[in-house]
Amino acid sequence: MPSLLNPSRPPVFCPGCSHERSLHALDKAFQELNLKPHEVVIVSDIGCSGLFDVFFGTHAFHGLHGRALTYAAGIKLAQPRAMVVVVMGDGGLGIGGAHVLASCRRNLDLTLLVLNNFNFGMTGGQYSCTTPQEARVASAFLNNLERPFDLCRTVAAAGAPFVVRRSVYSDDLSKKLSEALRYPGFAVVDIWGLCPGRYLKTNPLSPKDVDAMVEKAGFWNGMVTDNERPEYGSAYAKHLGDREATWNWTGIEAHLRANLRARHGTIFLGAAGERVLSAAHLWAMTAVRAGLHVTQKSDYNITVMRGPSIAEVLLSAAPIDYPGIEEPDVVVALAREGVERMPDMWARLTERTLVIQGEDVPVPDHAARKIVVDFKKMGISRKNRAMASLGLLARLSGIFSIEALVQAAEATLTLSQRDASVLLLRQGFEFRATFEESV
């Protein structure tokens, strides 16, 4: 199989950096397993190891420092047949240590490579959780006061069923990486190497010295027998009735029809307890099931049953590269709290925007078209306004039929919510005879 490295971004590290050896060892392992670029997801952390995602021509995700395993878990659960590889340094290991321990307990089928060069190389050579106590680093004596973290002993104690420790100069590194990739569970590979840009300036070491350090710390060769157990994703599927894992990189097959050729942005302005986010989610899921591209952005206070609840849902027939809604097509004003949360928006509205406004919800002056709905007169309680407004929104926008909305509700809502929500959708769709329209 050909290399999975990105031909348009040849790897560039500091001269002598051991990360490049790890990169090529991983690429060799990919080739040994005959993996294709679309079958692999590289999830990288912050730091020099974070360059891996651009140096491979695979799927990639680059996130916050120490959080790479959390993104990887979501990706793996959504795409269980993908080969998800997490790459982080010893800096990310220290920052995201709790996520490492959680991954050990969970045993999801991920492969974690820790490129361990004993310091925060990118930020100046400060000590990390693996810096030896006798090392001289940019953060003065602080490493002298702490024992270095033994990754392999820790993850094994936390439940990792496959653990490897090697020097980056080991002849069998790519072989061990291949074994880790094949292992059906959480596999950790602790790769010790050198940082010539920072660490080596005050701690001269040779590759043989690194080999000796690994030998002294102890080799780990793979299976940890006491930790063997069912892989999390398989156990999860079995718990749900052995559903077949999905493998779909191209999206969800459209089952519904939508009448939309451009972008359509809706902003829901409500209050806590009014099911604003649930209604927005149903609007979004209807679009997904109709083959549209969708983003949903939500905003609410951490308090319960108090404060604003806002959702912005952007639908598009084309891929969405920017999820912001600068000029909404529709604003659904359901509660004062939500309206007051976005005071600057109203002055920017033009006739292009339609405002669906609750009769008892004051809004600032604006130039948009307006429809006032007396929810109270219709017998719609505050907690049901958002859901009922979807029916009206569907009819006024013409994007979805009421039957499409109902089908999406029946497919996505829980049984306890389904019947009542469908009734509200239909009730909202029939608002025509009672609303007041101006402009």
Side-chain angles (χ1 to χ4, degrees):
M1 288 293 293
S3 167
L4 269 59
L5 292 176
N6 183 356
S8 63
R9 287 293 303 274
V12 178
F13 294 97
C14 301
C17 176
S18 60
H19 286 2
E20 187 159 350
R21 296 181 70 93
S22 298
L23 182 96
H24 289 291
L26 180 59
D27 185 44
K28 186 177 180 180
F30 286 152
Q31 294 176 61
E32 289 173 353
L33 297 178
N34 294 319
L35 289 167
K36 300 178 178 62
H38 72 276
E39 296 173 326
V40 177
V41 182
I42 302 285
V43 182
S44 63
D45 206 62
I46 300 298
C48 303
S49 64
L51 296 169
F52 269 50
D53 61 84
V54 296
F55 292 153
F56 279 100
T58 65
H59 295 286
F61 193 103
H62 183 71
L64 299 175
H65 209 171
R67 316 305 173 199
L69 279 167
T70 64
Y71 310 128
I75 293 169
K76 185 64 182 182
L77 289 171
Q79 296 289 347
R81 296 181 188 174
M83 178 69 73
V84 182
V85 180
V86 181
V87 183
M88 67 170 61
D90 43 296
L93 171 67
I95 291 173
H99 302 307
V100 176
L101 299 182
S103 298
C104 295
R105 291 190 301 105
R106 188 175 296 127
N107 192 32
L108 188 61
D109 186 15
L110 303 171
T111 301
L112 169 64
L113 276 61
V114 178
L115 310 188
N116 185 356
N117 60 10
F118 318 116
N119 76 140
F120 282 84
M122 182 173 280
T123 57
Q126 297 84 3
Y127 84 114
S128 74
C129 65
T130 65
T131 304
Q133 285 182 293
E134 67 276 14
R136 290 180 294 169
V137 291
S139 44
F141 61 90
L142 297 178
N143 61 294
N144 304 149
L145 308 180
E146 299 180 10
R147 293 181 63 181
F149 186 77
D150 188 318
L151 173 61
C152 294
R153 291 174 61 187
T154 302
V155 297
F162 192 96
V163 182
V164 167
R165 175 151 54 207
R166 284 294 185 274
S167 157
V168 74
Y169 306 103
S170 298
D171 293 336
D172 67 346
L173 179 59
S174 65
K175 176 176 177 292
K176 286 298 176 184
L177 289 174
S178 179
E179 292 175 4
L181 294 171
R182 281 199 303 266
Y183 183 78
F186 187 54
V188 180
V189 184
D190 183 16
I191 305 173
W192 291 25
L194 297 174
C195 172
R198 304 293 184 185
Y199 192 79
L200 285 188
K201 289 183 176 179
T202 51
N203 302 278
L205 295 169
S206 69
K208 287 187 177 179
D209 292 329
V210 177
D211 291 343
M213 291 167 64
V214 170
E215 185 173 1
K216 182 180 179 181
F219 292 104
W220 287 71
N221 296 308
M223 298 278 290
V224 181
T225 306
D226 289 345
N227 291 339
E228 287 189 72
R229 60 196 186 278
E231 189 269 337
Y232 182 87
S234 300
Y236 188 102
K238 185 176 182 179
H239 184 76
L240 294 180
D242 281 327
R243 292 179 185 172
E244 181 68 18
T246 59
W247 177 243
N248 187 352
W249 293 104
T250 58
I252 297 173
E253 183 179 354
H255 298 287
L256 306 176
R257 299 186 64 178
N259 179 26
L260 183 67
R261 295 185 177 181
R263 291 162 66 106
H264 187 279
T266 302
I267 299 178
F268 298 86
L269 303 175
E274 293 183 343
R275 300 177 66 198
V276 172
L277 304 188
S278 297
H281 183 67
L282 177 56
W283 185 247
M285 289 305 298
T286 307
V288 169
R289 289 173 173 269
L292 296 177
H293 299 268
V294 182
T295 65
Q296 178 178 345
K297 184 167 62 177
S298 303
D299 181 19
Y300 52 88
N301 290 354
I302 61 172
T303 51
V304 176
M305 301 305 291
R306 174 179 290 181
S309 182
I310 297 173
E312 301 181 21
V313 182
L314 180 61
L315 316 182
S316 175
I320 298 172
D321 54 0
Y322 173 64
I325 300 177
E326 295 181 340
E327 186 177 7
D329 296 273
V330 178
V331 175
V332 184
L334 299 167
R336 174 183 53 78
E337 291 91 333
V339 172
E340 293 178 348
R341 186 62 166 252
M342 301 187 71
D344 299 332
M345 175 193 72
W346 298 93
R348 299 195 303 269
L349 298 182
T350 68
E351 289 187 358
R352 180 180 176 279
T353 299
L354 172 66
V355 175
I356 299 176
Q357 176 185 348
E359 188 272 341
D360 55 350
V361 181
V363 302
D365 293 338
H366 60 83
R369 294 170 290 134
K370 181 175 68 175
I371 288 177
V372 178
V373 180
D374 190 342
F375 288 102
K376 189 174 181 180
K377 185 176 180 181
M378 295 298 300
I380 305 294
S381 66
R382 298 195 70 88
K383 70 176 183 180
N384 289 325
R385 288 184 175 192
M387 196 61 70
S389 69
L390 286 190
L392 179 59
L393 178 59
R395 184 165 58 76
L396 295 175
S397 68
I399 298 175
F400 306 120
S401 67
I402 183 61
E403 295 308 322
L405 262 183
V406 168
Q407 287 183 41
E410 291 174 342
T412 59
L413 298 180
T414 62
L415 188 61
S416 61
Q417 298 176 332
R418 194 172 304 160
D419 292 345
S421 296
V422 168
L423 184 62
L424 288 167
L425 293 173
R426 294 192 182 282
Q427 195 172 356
F429 190 78
E430 300 299 330
F431 270 160
R432 178 187 293 273
T434 59
F435 64 69
E436 172 191 348
E437 183 171 1
S438 63
V439 183

